[in-house]
Amino acid sequence: MRDQFGNLLTHASMQDEEGQDIVAGDGFVQQIKGANDMDSSNADGTFTYADLVDMVKQIKKKKNRISGNTYVAVTGCDGIANADTVLTGRFTGLTGGAVLVQNVNQTDQVGGANVTVGYNMKKINISGDQIVFVENPMQDDEEKFPRRLSNGNLAMSNTVYFLDMDTDDRGNGNVEIRARGRAGVNRNIVYLWENGMTGEGTPMNPVDAKAFHMLKETLLAVYNTRSCGILKPSATA
């Protein structure tokens, strides 16, 4: 929760009729925005291995633990494809990494054995820490995020959000989903089956159908926003 100047509030600014805090807040993007924002190095807006190294070095300086940290990198379809290219290049010797060797069992079938080429690269270790890439299809919505890069891909689909998902020394997670509730009532999910004139049970309305109503009130809270970051295409990409 923030005030009109963007400063974090120590307590809720609104209370209900019983004096209980009305908790409201931004999504994780607005919470971590401005903490560690970086532009991707490539002219077409894609990130490089050096960009990942710079991001890890930047955000680990804001943590109490110097190694063994895990960062979840949330990106779109284009970002995942670029991550696979960057990580594969790191492991196949293009950037000084090791060469991957694949063992193929020979058979007597005509044409030889079937070989599957390629790897699913989703994790990379940098400076004692680990980045885990996760694909978010909502970043591929071209109607909601219409900006395109010089290579024709969506800018939002190439944006990467780094979330520090680790726990502190007391076992508390840095990122937590908080459910709204009060007086012992958990409003994580509240639902109702509404029966119509279906011939089964007591009808609650004249419609020949059943309806399912659901109310879900949760908040994604990031406690140490300084240990998160955003890697995005530059404004000129």
Side-chain angles (χ1 to χ4, degrees):
M1 297 175 293
R2 302 175 184 267
D3 60 16
Q4 67 269 29
F5 302 107
N7 300 315
L8 290 174
L9 298 174
T10 58
H11 60 277
S13 59
M14 297 181 293
Q15 286 75 35
D16 60 16
E17 64 278 1
E18 298 183 6
Q20 299 288 335
D21 287 342
I22 299 177
V23 180
D26 300 318
F28 79 88
V29 175
Q30 293 300 321
Q31 293 180 59
I32 69 175
K33 189 175 182 180
N36 299 288
D37 295 353
M38 295 184 179
D39 290 343
S40 301
S41 297
N42 285 336
D44 61 357
T46 56
F47 60 84
T48 65
Y49 174 76
D51 293 333
L52 300 179
V53 174
D54 291 340
M55 179 59 74
V56 169
K57 291 192 300 183
Q58 180 67 20
I59 58 183
K60 76 183 304 182
K61 296 174 183 177
K62 313 294 178 59
K63 292 177 61 69
N64 295 327
R65 187 165 52 198
I66 61 175
S67 64
N69 303 302
T70 301
Y71 306 105
V72 177
V74 182
T75 185
C77 178
D78 296 336
I80 283 290
N82 183 48
D84 186 79
T85 300
V86 171
L87 272 59
T88 300
R90 182 65 181 172
F91 279 97
T92 55
L94 298 180
T95 54
V99 177
L100 292 176
V101 178
Q102 182 177 9
N103 294 324
V104 179
N105 295 324
Q106 183 60 282
T107 67
D108 59 356
Q109 70 181 51
V110 178
N114 293 324
V115 180
T116 300
V117 179
Y119 302 90
N120 186 19
M121 299 289 189
K122 291 293 180 66
K123 298 180 181 180
I124 186 170
N125 296 314
I126 299 175
S127 301
D129 294 344
Q130 186 174 88
I131 299 176
V132 181
F133 284 90
V134 176
E135 184 173 354
N136 176 20
M138 295 183 65
Q139 292 183 227
D140 303 321
D141 190 341
E142 59 183 8
E143 294 185 358
K144 187 175 182 180
F145 308 107
R147 183 198 166 197
R148 290 190 177 274
L149 305 174
S150 58
N151 60 8
N153 293 330
L154 293 172
M156 179 56 69
S157 187
N158 283 274
T159 302
V160 186
Y161 299 100
F162 290 82
L163 291 177
D164 175 15
M165 305 288 288
D166 286 337
T167 57
D168 58 20
D169 297 335
R170 295 175 295 179
N172 299 322
N174 186 48
V175 179
E176 184 181 9
I177 298 178
R178 301 295 301 273
R180 191 172 183 179
R182 189 184 64 182
V185 178
N186 186 350
R187 301 191 69 179
N188 177 46
I189 179 171
V190 183
Y191 60 90
L192 166 69
W193 280 100
E194 184 179 5
N195 185 36
M197 297 182 64
T198 61
E200 178 184 358
T202 303
M204 303 173 64
N205 61 65
V207 180
D208 184 15
K210 290 184 178 181
F212 179 75
H213 303 273
M214 182 179 66
L215 172 66
K216 185 176 181 64
E217 293 184 282
T218 55
L219 169 68
L220 183 65
V222 182
Y223 296 108
N224 183 12
T225 58
R226 297 181 302 169
S227 62
C228 301
I230 302 176
L231 180 61
K232 63 184 186 304
S234 65
T236 57

